[in-house]
Amino acid sequence: MDVHGEEGTVLGRSTRLLAAVLTAVFVMLVGPSAPSGALAARSQPVESARDVVANRVMTWNICNPCDTSNVDRAAQIAAYAPQVIGLQEACVRDVERIRDYLEHLHGLVYHVEYGTVLQSWSRCGGAPWSPGGFGQALLSAAPMTDLVNVEYPDGGSEDRGYMAVTTTVGGESVRVFNTHLAQRRQEAVRADQTGVLAADVAGHERAIVLGDFNAVPDAPELSRMWALAADTDGRCHPLPTGTCKATTDWQSKFDYIFLRGIVPLRHQVRPTPYSDHHLLHTDLDLT
């Protein structure tokens, strides 16, 4: 009997078994956010690192819970390569994967800060004793400082809040806010929430406020924001003569990029199959 040959066969079988187990564990950990082909694509080197558009900011409610691949979400963001991205309905785990795919598949490197307002197993999964964080997130190509997380005193039917950071857009330092207001048919709650948010925004000569406000432009609860800032779309305002492009699948404008002391250059609303909210991005003049 060839003892060494038998030992080699056993060792080979053990190695293959270990590799199979490790692969299965990795797939389980990655979960449904990585569709078939994503792992193979991720292993491929990025053809060329891309630069972000230094004066571009984006807001996107990424829809949760939705059966959407984070690979696809990352590809949507990468198509416009903004300097700053405000995400709402964001699970920390999903944002981590989106950020990872942006870097390894698209060559876009972002810093990240979170505005978590609740821990939710039904929204974000995780172990029953350690559910995932849910709320807002900000990604920025430049470092972020002076993070503030505020949970609104009354979130309505679900905890809500806003976050704010100081970062660089278009080569200039600016305060950036990201929020998600209470769901529809909770007008009084949203009015209180915008009061809290507006009081903070008012303390800055220049500010960018991103978010899903869950209210159309002429809704009374947005009056405090309109008193401080203008939407990036100059044709969109609370007067009946305003022309505001819808940002949702149900043909309402709920998503805004409010600008205080900053001039918009151009903006686009981009429908997407990966959320019931469209992507809204704008290029800014901060000189």
Side-chain angles (χ1 to χ4, degrees), residues 184 211-216 246-248 250 252-256 277:
R184 289 176 289 177
D212 173 5
F213 284 74
N214 268 317
V216 295
T247 63
T248 65
W250 53 93
S252 294
K253 178 175 172 65
F254 277 8
D255 304 273
Y256 298 82
H277 286 253

Side-chain angles (χ1 to χ4, degrees), residues 12 132 171 181:
L181 300 190

Side-chain angles (χ1 to χ4, degrees), residues 178-195:
N178 183 22
T179 192
H180 187 192
L181 300 190
Q183 295 172 347
R184 289 176 289 177
R185 295 180 293 277
Q186 299 181 82
E187 293 84 356
V189 174
R190 288 196 298 274
D192 290 341
Q193 292 172 348
T194 55

Side-chain angles (χ1 to χ4, degrees), residues 87-88 113-118 134-138 146-155 158-165 175-182 192-204 208-213 225:
L87 300 177
Q88 303 88 42
E113 294 287 358
Y114 296 98
T116 298
V117 293
L118 59 89
F134 175 80
Q136 290 74 245
L138 277 167
D146 304 318
L147 170 66
V148 169
N149 274 322
V150 175
E151 187 172 335
Y152 293 124
D154 183 0
E158 181 179 74
D159 294 348
R160 295 291 164 91
Y162 75 87
M163 62 185 300
V165 301
R175 195 68 172 163
V176 179
F177 295 79
N178 183 22
T179 192
H180 187 192
L181 300 190
D192 290 341
Q193 292 172 348
T194 55
V196 173
L197 175 62
D200 195 346
V201 174
H204 302 272
I208 301 169
V209 186
L210 312 170
D212 173 5
F213 284 74
M225 285 306 305

